[in-house]
Amino acid sequence: MSSQERPKANEARVIPLRPVKAAPTPARPAGEKEPLWRDVVGDVLRGERLAQERTLKGVAEAARISMPYLSELERGRKEASSEVLAAAAHALGLGLPDLLSLAQTRLAGLPRARPARASYQGEVRLAA
């Protein structure tokens, strides 16, 4: 470092940073909406019920919730409380953590929207 490049006692040395490139993520097709949590949970509930070859009526009775309400949950029309989700999960032989884990796994596997670009364009510097 030459004498011209050395910072004075009261000045900070500036280190230029290079932006870190994020790993590419699968892009969601244009116009496709981001999935809602209630839709994903409903898909998991319906998938588990159908995999067990059980009726809507049978699961609703076991969960002690109305059949129309369970149908609305499965279709993503209603946002259920944790108590209702736990009851539906238990009626299917699952715990609430199991249901939520299955929903999270399904959600994580969906294509993501491209991250928004930073509004700042130019060189980034950090004072050290």
Side-chain angles (χ1 to χ4, degrees):
M1 190 181 254
S2 71
S3 61
Q4 288 181 341
E5 294 175 7
R6 274 203 186 105
K8 296 179 183 174
N10 62 350
E11 291 181 358
R13 186 168 55 118
V14 177
I15 304 168
L17 296 178
R18 293 186 185 145
V20 177
K21 292 184 181 180
T25 58
R28 187 177 306 117
E32 186 177 320
K33 290 184 178 180
E34 192 166 54
L36 298 175
W37 179 247
R38 67 178 184 231
D39 292 328
V40 177
V41 171
D43 288 345
V44 170
L45 286 172
R46 176 168 281 169
E48 286 297 314
R49 179 177 62 80
L50 294 175
Q52 295 176 19
E53 298 180 354
R54 295 180 62 189
T55 64
L56 194 61
K57 182 179 179 186
V59 174
E61 286 174 355
R64 299 179 55 124
I65 57 178
S66 73
M67 191 173 66
Y69 188 67
L70 179 58
S71 175
E72 289 181 322
L73 291 179
E74 286 187 354
R75 291 181 289 132
R77 306 270 190 226
K78 294 287 184 183
E79 196 81 50
S81 68
S82 58
E83 290 86 358
V84 170
L85 287 177
H90 289 132
L92 292 166
L94 301 169
L96 181 59
D98 301 321
L99 174 66
L100 300 180
S101 178
L102 288 168
Q104 186 275 332
T105 300
R106 185 168 296 182
L107 189 61
L110 294 174
R112 297 186 218 172
R114 294 205 183 271
R117 291 187 174 257
S119 60
Y120 176 77
Q121 299 293 325
E123 193 172 274
V124 177
R125 293 180 177 246
L126 175 67

